[in-house]
Amino acid sequence: MVLKRYQRAKTGFEALKSFDANKYLKKIGLGKEDYYFWKQVGKALLCTYTLFGVAWIYNETSPLGWWTLKPKPKEEKELAHLYERIKFPYPGDTEAMEEFLKKGGMIGSVIGPKGTIESDKVKKELQDKHFELEAQKLWLRMRNEVIQELQERGYDVE
């Protein structure tokens, strides 16, 4: 029997050959036995992100809107053109920028309404509707007062 007192130090290629990466990978759950599990996890992540990506693209480009089952109110449909997404030209492209400005592109933004002409028109329509409602309320109130007075005097009014 031969006693081993000191082992020769391994350097360079010898040290690299003796290093067993699988031993360390197995300890953290990445060994050859775990290959199938991680393959399934990868497939699941790929499918999930694909579905989210398709939904996101559909949301951006759909003519139907995102929640098609929920009906939009009439007011929202009428004002939808005010909140359209604006495609801005690339900075430095002078032709596209001039064309963009001719169309009145910088008047509004993605969030706010486009331009003063349209908003004045919409304001006027809303104001007309408001006046119409107020006039109708006033008319009904006056009519009810007249009916009440006539009933107090003894006339039969329906």
Side-chain angles (χ1 to χ4, degrees):
M1 187 162 113
V2 179
L3 293 174
K4 287 187 174 181
R5 294 199 177 187
Y6 297 106
Q7 288 186 349
R8 201 168 152 233
K10 296 179 182 177
T11 57
F13 190 68
E14 288 178 10
L16 193 62
K17 267 173 65 174
S18 68
F19 178 74
D20 188 19
N22 287 330
K23 175 179 152 185
Y24 299 106
L25 290 174
K26 190 186 289 186
K27 286 184 180 179
I28 60 170
L30 297 173
K32 285 187 177 183
E33 308 85 40
D34 302 317
Y35 174 76
Y36 181 73
F37 169 76
W38 288 111
K39 183 179 174 184
Q40 294 297 93
V41 168
K43 283 181 187 178
L45 287 173
L46 181 68
C47 292
T48 304
Y49 284 124
T50 303
L51 286 175
F52 280 129
V54 167
W56 182 41
I57 289 171
Y58 181 75
N59 184 22
E60 292 289 321
T61 60
S62 172
L64 305 173
W66 181 245
W67 298 109
T68 54
L69 298 176
K70 189 167 87 174
K72 290 184 180 179
K74 185 179 177 184
E75 295 83 17
E76 189 176 335
K77 287 179 185 175
E78 289 173 356
L79 299 175
H81 69 280
L82 298 175
Y83 297 96
E84 291 173 346
R85 187 176 293 270
I86 298 173
K87 295 193 178 186
F88 294 100
Y90 188 77
D93 189 1
T94 54
E95 282 183 26
M97 185 62 83
E98 287 172 8
E99 186 179 321
F100 181 69
L101 291 174
K102 283 180 188 174
K103 289 181 182 177
M106 292 302 285
I107 295 172
S109 68
V110 177
I111 304 166
K114 284 191 209 171
T116 55
I117 299 166
E118 291 177 359
S119 64
D120 288 343
K121 185 179 177 183
V122 171
K123 277 184 189 176
K124 188 172 184 197
E125 288 176 10
L126 289 174
Q127 203 172 33
D128 289 345
K129 283 182 184 178
H130 180 71
F131 286 144
E132 187 90 21
L133 282 172
E134 288 297 321
Q136 191 175 13
K137 284 180 187 176
L138 186 62
W139 168 253
L140 287 173
R141 192 180 308 144
M142 289 173 56
R143 181 178 163 267
N144 289 337
E145 285 178 11
V146 169
I147 289 174
Q148 188 178 3
E149 282 183 29
L150 289 172
Q151 284 176 348
E152 285 175 1
R153 291 187 185 169
Y155 294 103
D156 188 23
V157 182
E158 292 180 10

